[in-house]
Amino acid sequence: MKNEIPYKIYLSESELPNAWYNVRADMKNKPAPLLNPGTGKPVTFDDLAHVFCDELVKQELDNDTAFIEIPEEIRNFYKMYRPSPLVRAYCLEEKLQTPAKIYYKFEGNNTSGSHKLNSAIAQAYYAKKQGLKGVTTETGAGQWGTALSMACAYFGLDCKVFMVKVSYEQKPFRREVMRTYGASVTPSPSDSTEVGRKMLAEFPGTGGSLGCAISEAVEAAVTHEGYRYVLGSVLNQVLLHQSVIGLESKAAMDKYGIKPDIIIGCAGGGSNLGGLISPFMGEKLRGEADYRIIAVEPASCPSFTRGRFAYDFCDTGKVCPLAKMYTLGSGFMPSPIHAGGLRYHGMSGILSQLYDDGYMEARSVTQTDVFEAAEQFARCEGILPAPESSHAIRAAIDEALKCRETGEEKTIFFGLTGTGYFDMKAYEQYNNGTMTDYIPTDADLEKGFAGLPKIG
Amino acid sequence: MKNEIPYKIYLSESELPNAWYNVRADMKNKPAPLLNPGTGKPVTFDDLAHVFCDELVKQELDNDTAFIEIPEEIRNFYKMYRPSPLVRAYCLEEKLQTPAKIYYKFEGNNTSGSHKLNSAIAQAYYAKKQGLKGVTTETGAGQWGTALSMACAYFGLDCKVFMVKVSYEQKPFRREVMRTYGASVTPSPSDSTEVGRKMLAEFPGTGGSLGCAISEAVEAAVTHEGYRYVLGSVLNQVLLHQSVIGLESKAAMDKYGIKPDIIIGCAGGGSNLGGLISPFMGEKLRGEADYRIIAVEPASCPSFTRGRFAYDFCDTGKVCPLAKMYTLGSGFMPSPIHAGGLRYHGMSGILSQLYDDGYMEARSVTQTDVFEAAEQFARCEGILPAPESSHAIRAAIDEALKCRETGEEKTIFFGLTGTGYFDMKAYEQYNNGTMTDYIPTDADLEKGFAGLPKIG
């Protein structure tokens, strides 16, 4: 256990990045533009500005500026929970008897329990700066809604969260965290929006869906004076804000001369993976360094490994712009696995382009294999991981076990996005041996692909 | 917001204390000895050694050694979540518009969610070193059981937790965290012990009590070969291990030239308060410095502020040694408030003696006032605090508001023992406006005092 590298590398607050890194600036093939769903043409600033805050629209459309300054107010908030630790997994290495060196960046040490807060505070800040009254959003698993509630409480903004009804009922604790932070939480579908009322009339008793909640949140934003809609993943702006994860990781590694051979992140919409890998990907794009980069997704929702690279709707209500991405089709209904944060039919446009250009690889893992890794990790590293994060743990353990076979002393680095405190129902299933796996058949996927719009 | 003192002061791992501090060494009036409940005489090493591990019995009885080395294995485990941050509450200060400087030591950044892990890992280590198979314990709110489960998983020890039945049913998530760490969790009263069977026969359908769970855990320890009983609070050994909180706080403060005027901790059995204040109390006892030290307890369970300083039973089953302490009587049934960790009829013997000797003051606060402070804190400091910890927050805010009145720039320091992720039922009540307060009448207290044994 003796090593000059500490268990946890903490940067000082003065070493917190001053600017986010925009990986698009270094991409030769830029992500394809969002398309206006009405005209089929690339969206303009004005198209987006009635839904999103002005400054965020600028960030969304900016493919060229490599570094965008982090405003001081956001840096001050970051200081309440950042820099987050880069942890050397000494205990896990010992348990696995691997010559590999394993590191993880832990983003769960804040009340929202995940990395989502990094973008939530940025989006809330720009909304406040624009003089808005509040923001609207949707939440499924609840991490994003919690993070946004915290950010809005800090800036004194109103926060309206549409929470998928089945989650609202099954995850009352997440709901109460949001309420403690002063957010109003509405089960979706609700009778407060036109799209919600239509859904309720058509499917009385429905438990709702993320797609419907998005549509309600967007409607609430555009029909309330002084409100805009905000989103916690997929968008370019979100990956930009999340680059703080990768920048801190890189700075901490450089300080101790650590160079990862393999970088692993779980992938749902791409907010964590995109942020985690960004500065490393930048080096790779500029030909300055090489890394193996692995995206890990659930076998039940395999957008990278079994999806198509095509224009698709971002929401099932089809009110949002179209994005070119790896997708299973907006009509694909992911099975009810416990990693709710990874149950999205599509994937960030930036990551989709990078994957298509061969800069990263992807693999899918099953739910029970993921929880086996989660339990193993919890018992030696002390942290009870979120199901989402545990996808990355699974892959990291698998790579470390390969090193045990080959004797290679590889350096493996993964993102631990959050804690599983609000996922104990899932752990209970795993502990009781009643957890099952879901892998869609090719026929299931074809149904999703059939709904893809005929564009591009 | 500009200040040379960072938001969070992190010591490096090399600055982790090498030894625990035993405040008894500096006390002129030592805590009164534990008494054997059979003979009424001070307990001997042998009396205790069939219940507790040998090394822990030595620590329990040692009133003289000021510093006891922390074994390297424990230090290595500490490094997974320690040193914990000393946080400057800049945002809270601003919201309160107070000239006071507020600091808190945050112990919630580990999966058990509280400071309990500091002693759990020490007790598990000594059990392992003695070659035991496992340990038994009870848990009410669940923090201690969770911490012990994590510690036992790390050392490969078996862990049997008797969980108060009503908590077992109402806090399934805590239970599942323990099971994820490999502990067996039994609802108490159970039919696995004599005392449990007796209780079930006498009160079928009872929800159990902490007192009964303690008795079951002790019985399970003494009737199983290779097992000992461990406890998370009250005992001298626990306060010794928890001194790591105060030692780190003092080291971090010394580094930045911070000297607290007021030190505040919540008080149930005393594990947090005793650890937090220990090095400061040491200076006070040696006449090297002066501090105002405030214990904060729930108005519903006011052992310091309305209790008696007398010998009493530590458990309702009356199988444990008698301790001289501030107590409400072992028959006193605290109302079902949400700060389960503070619902204990007695108080650490060390703290009781110090309080009786005038080295600290105490106050009690009501539940709704506590949650008001918790919400205020959460909204600006980002951390959702445990109900127990929020007792200290309440007092810290009250002192800071006094400073706003007087203009005094006092330095206020309090212990934030943990997070409230598993207490969302309580927050829900508070959010819904249905939380009530409980203050025992004098007649209620008299009933508890009537059961005090006629000793000392």
Side-chain angles (χ1 to χ4, degrees):
Chain A
M1 292 286 207
K2 304 230 173 167
N3 198 302
E4 58 188 275
I5 292 173
Y7 281 66
K8 301 178 300 312
I9 303 175
Y10 276 106
L11 297 174
S12 71
E13 282 163 21
S14 61
E15 293 169 303
L16 194 69
N18 287 306
W20 293 301
Y21 167 61
N22 181 4
V23 73
R24 285 168 284 167
D26 285 309
M27 290 169 70
K28 273 179 212 114
N29 296 327
K30 306 290 181 191
L34 297 171
L35 300 184
N36 182 314
T39 64
K41 288 189 181 156
V43 292
T44 62
F45 178 90
D46 292 335
D47 284 338
L48 293 178
H50 73 290
V51 179
F52 299 110
C53 303
D54 293 354
E55 199 64 41
L56 292 168
V57 175
K58 279 185 209 157
Q59 293 179 359
E60 191 64 29
L61 299 175
D62 186 343
N63 283 342
D64 304 308
T65 313
F67 288 95
I68 294 176
E69 196 191 336
I70 306 175
E72 197 193 347
E73 291 86 344
I74 298 176
R75 281 172 51 87
N76 280 340
F77 186 89
Y78 276 170
K79 286 177 188 170
M80 292 203 298
Y81 70 103
R82 310 201 67 83
S84 68
L86 176 72
V87 187
R88 173 76 183 267
Y90 283 117
C91 302
L92 182 63
E93 291 170 16
E94 197 178 298
K95 288 275 150 103
L96 297 176
Q97 292 288 304
T98 177
K101 294 172 182 64
I102 309 176
Y103 293 87
Y104 56 91
K105 178 75 166 168
F106 182 43
E107 292 288 317
N109 273 351
N110 70 75
T111 288
S112 77
S114 82
H115 67 293
K116 294 285 184 186
L117 197 52
N118 300 330
S119 184
I121 192 64
Q123 297 193 46
Y125 167 77
Y126 291 116
K128 185 70 181 179
K129 202 180 157 203
Q130 196 173 323
L132 298 177
K133 282 186 211 156
V135 292
T136 70
T137 200
E138 77 293 328
T139 200
Q143 286 106 323
W144 169 246
T146 311
L148 190 68
S149 304
M150 291 176 66
C152 287
Y154 183 78
F155 283 124
L157 273 177
D158 186 41
C159 180
K160 295 182 194 300
V161 180
F162 289 87
M163 188 170 188
V164 176
K165 196 178 198 170
V166 62
S167 297
Y168 181 91
E169 284 161 3
Q170 290 179 356
K171 293 201 163 191
F173 292 174
R174 275 275 179 208
R175 181 186 78 209
E176 291 308 323
V177 179
M178 291 184 253
R179 290 181 70 205
T180 299
Y181 282 93
S184 72
V185 187
T186 306
S188 167
S190 75
D191 61 6
S192 73
T193 67
E194 202 171 310
V195 66
R197 286 188 293 271
K198 214 166 125 184
M199 190 65 75
L200 286 172
E202 201 169 343
F203 306 101
T206 175
S209 71
L210 202 58
C212 175
I214 294 178
S215 304
E216 286 204 85
V218 172
E219 184 183 325
V222 299
T223 56
H224 285 79
E225 180 74 27
Y227 281 77
R228 290 293 185 283
Y229 169 71
V230 295
L231 182 66
S233 192
V234 183
L235 296 175
N236 296 337
Q237 59 188 264
V238 176
L239 268 72
L240 174 71
H241 306 148
Q242 295 294 357
S243 70
V244 72
I245 305 173
L247 292 167
E248 281 184 12
S249 303
K250 183 93 179 58
M253 288 183 177
D254 287 349
K255 215 166 170 173
Y256 284 86
I258 301 159
K259 198 181 163 297
D261 297 297
I262 307 175
I263 303 172
I264 299 170
C266 62
S271 67
N272 155 65
L273 181 67
L276 180 78
I277 65 174
S278 60
F280 303 96
M281 183 59 85
E283 288 185 293
K284 197 165 170 169
L285 289 165
R286 296 189 303 270
E288 295 165 9
D290 198 16
Y291 305 99
R292 246 187 96 195
I293 296 176
I294 307 174
V296 191
E297 59 186 15
S300 60
C301 195
S303 42
F304 267 145
T305 51
R306 296 175 69 194
R308 295 216 180 134
F309 191 36
Y311 267 104
D312 193 10
F313 300 102
C314 292
D315 61 324
T316 48
K318 303 182 182 179
V319 298
C320 296
L322 295 160
K324 190 174 178 192
M325 57 186 174
Y326 273 84
T327 179
L328 299 165
S330 64
F332 177 78
M333 271 303 286
S335 295
I337 57 155
H338 290 291
L342 306 182
R343 290 182 66 225
Y344 184 67
H345 67 278
M347 181 59 68
S348 138
I350 292 173
L351 293 178
S352 294
Q353 188 63 52
L354 289 168
Y355 178 63
D356 204 58
D357 288 344
Y359 287 104
M360 48 191 268
E361 50 193 280
R363 70 177 63 163
S364 74
V365 288
T366 60
Q367 183 166 242
T368 49
D369 283 349
V370 163
F371 274 82
E372 187 200 25
E375 186 192 84
Q376 193 169 15
F377 181 82
R379 289 189 183 184
C380 54
E381 288 292 315
I383 298 168
L384 188 94
E388 291 83 355
S389 324
S390 304
H391 284 68
I393 297 175
R394 175 75 270 165
I397 288 178
D398 289 343
E399 292 300 321
L401 292 176
K402 276 185 212 162
C403 289
R404 186 171 71 185
E405 297 293 311
T406 62
E408 289 173 287
E409 292 187 25
K410 286 189 180 163
T411 297
I412 300 168
F413 167 52
F414 70 95
L416 190 71
T417 54
T419 56
Y421 301 134
F422 295 102
D423 299 285
M424 294 317 299
K425 274 272 165 211
Y427 276 94
E428 183 175 13
Q429 272 193 13
Y430 181 74
N431 292 336
N432 290 339
T434 56
M435 182 173 277
T436 51
D437 289 321
Y438 306 89
I439 302 177
T441 63
D442 288 343
D444 293 334
L445 294 185
E446 282 307 322
K447 276 184 225 160
F449 297 145
L452 286 173
K454 311 290 172 246
I455 299 169
Chain B
M1 293 285 206
K2 303 228 175 165
N3 198 304
E4 59 187 273
I5 292 174
Y7 280 65
K8 301 178 300 312
I9 303 175
Y10 276 107
L11 297 175
S12 70
E13 282 163 21
S14 60
E15 292 169 302
L16 194 68
N18 287 306
W20 293 301
Y21 167 61
N22 181 5
V23 73
R24 285 168 284 168
D26 285 309
M27 290 169 71
K28 271 179 217 116
N29 296 328
K30 308 290 181 191
L34 297 171
L35 300 185
N36 182 314
T39 65
K41 291 191 179 154
V43 292
T44 62
F45 178 90
D46 292 335
D47 284 339
L48 293 178
H50 74 289
V51 178
F52 298 111
C53 303
D54 294 353
E55 199 63 41
L56 293 167
V57 175
K58 279 186 210 157
Q59 294 179 0
E60 191 63 29
L61 299 175
D62 186 343
N63 282 343
D64 304 306
T65 313
F67 288 95
I68 294 177
E69 197 192 336
I70 306 175
E72 197 193 347
E73 291 85 345
I74 298 175
R75 281 171 52 87
N76 280 340
F77 185 89
Y78 277 170
K79 286 177 187 169
M80 293 205 296
Y81 70 104
R82 307 202 70 84
S84 69
L86 177 72
V87 188
R88 173 77 183 266
Y90 282 117
C91 302
L92 182 62
E93 291 171 16
E94 198 178 297
K95 288 275 151 97
L96 297 175
Q97 292 287 304
T98 177
K101 293 172 183 64
I102 308 175
Y103 293 86
Y104 56 92
K105 178 76 168 168
F106 181 43
E107 291 289 316
N109 272 351
N110 69 74
T111 288
S112 78
S114 82
H115 67 292
K116 294 286 184 185
L117 197 52
N118 300 330
S119 184
I121 193 64
Q123 297 193 46
Y125 168 76
Y126 291 117
K128 184 72 182 177
K129 204 180 157 203
Q130 196 173 322
L132 298 177
K133 283 187 210 154
V135 293
T136 70
T137 199
E138 77 293 329
T139 200
Q143 286 106 324
W144 169 246
T146 311
L148 189 67
S149 303
M150 290 176 67
C152 287
Y154 183 76
F155 284 125
L157 272 177
D158 185 40
C159 181
K160 295 184 194 299
V161 180
F162 289 88
M163 187 170 188
V164 176
K165 195 178 198 170
V166 63
S167 296
Y168 181 91
E169 283 160 3
Q170 289 180 355
K171 292 201 162 190
F173 292 174
R174 275 274 179 208
R175 181 187 76 209
E176 293 307 324
V177 179
M178 290 184 253
R179 290 182 69 205
T180 299
Y181 282 92
S184 73
V185 188
T186 306
S188 167
S190 75
D191 60 7
S192 73
T193 67
E194 203 171 310
V195 65
R197 286 186 295 271
K198 214 166 127 185
M199 190 66 75
L200 286 171
E202 201 168 343
F203 306 101
T206 175
S209 72
L210 203 55
C212 175
I214 294 177
S215 305
E216 286 204 84
V218 172
E219 183 183 327
V222 298
T223 56
H224 285 78
E225 179 75 27
Y227 281 77
R228 290 293 184 283
Y229 168 72
V230 295
L231 181 67
S233 192
V234 183
L235 297 175
N236 297 337
Q237 59 188 266
V238 176
L239 269 71
L240 175 71
H241 306 147
Q242 295 294 357
S243 70
V244 70
I245 305 173
L247 292 166
E248 282 183 12
S249 303
K250 182 95 179 58
M253 288 183 176
D254 286 348
K255 216 166 168 172
Y256 284 86
I258 301 159
K259 198 182 162 300
D261 297 298
I262 307 174
I263 303 173
I264 299 169
C266 61
S271 67
N272 157 65
L273 181 67
L276 180 77
I277 66 173
S278 59
F280 303 96
M281 183 59 84
E283 289 184 293
K284 197 165 170 168
L285 288 165
R286 295 189 303 269
E288 295 165 8
D290 197 18
Y291 305 99
R292 247 186 96 195
I293 297 177
I294 307 174
V296 191
E297 58 185 15
S300 60
C301 194
S303 41
F304 267 144
T305 51
R306 297 176 69 195
R308 297 220 180 130
F309 191 35
Y311 267 105
D312 194 10
F313 300 102
C314 292
D315 61 326
T316 48
K318 304 182 183 178
V319 298
C320 296
L322 295 159
K324 189 172 179 195
M325 56 184 176
Y326 274 84
T327 180
L328 299 166
S330 65
F332 176 79
M333 270 303 286
S335 295
I337 57 155
H338 291 291
L342 306 183
R343 290 181 66 225
Y344 184 66
H345 67 277
M347 181 60 68
S348 139
I350 292 174
L351 294 177
S352 293
Q353 188 62 53
L354 290 167
Y355 178 63
D356 204 58
D357 288 344
Y359 288 105
M360 47 191 270
E361 51 192 282
R363 70 177 63 163
S364 73
V365 289
T366 60
Q367 183 166 243
T368 49
D369 284 349
V370 164
F371 274 83
E372 186 200 26
E375 185 191 85
Q376 194 168 15
F377 181 84
R379 289 188 183 184
C380 54
E381 288 293 313
I383 298 167
L384 187 94
E388 291 84 355
S389 325
S390 304
H391 285 68
I393 298 175
R394 175 74 271 165
I397 289 178
D398 289 343
E399 292 299 320
L401 292 176
K402 277 186 211 159
C403 290
R404 185 170 73 185
E405 297 294 311
T406 62
E408 288 173 289
E409 293 187 24
K410 286 191 182 162
T411 297
I412 299 167
F413 167 52
F414 70 95
L416 190 71
T417 54
T419 57
Y421 301 134
F422 295 103
D423 299 285
M424 294 316 298
K425 274 274 167 207
Y427 276 95
E428 182 175 13
Q429 272 192 12
Y430 182 74
N431 292 336
N432 289 342
T434 55
M435 182 173 277
T436 52
D437 289 322
Y438 307 90
I439 301 176
T441 63
D442 288 342
D444 293 334
L445 295 185
E446 282 307 324
K447 276 183 227 161
F449 297 144
L452 285 173
K454 310 290 173 245
I455 300 171

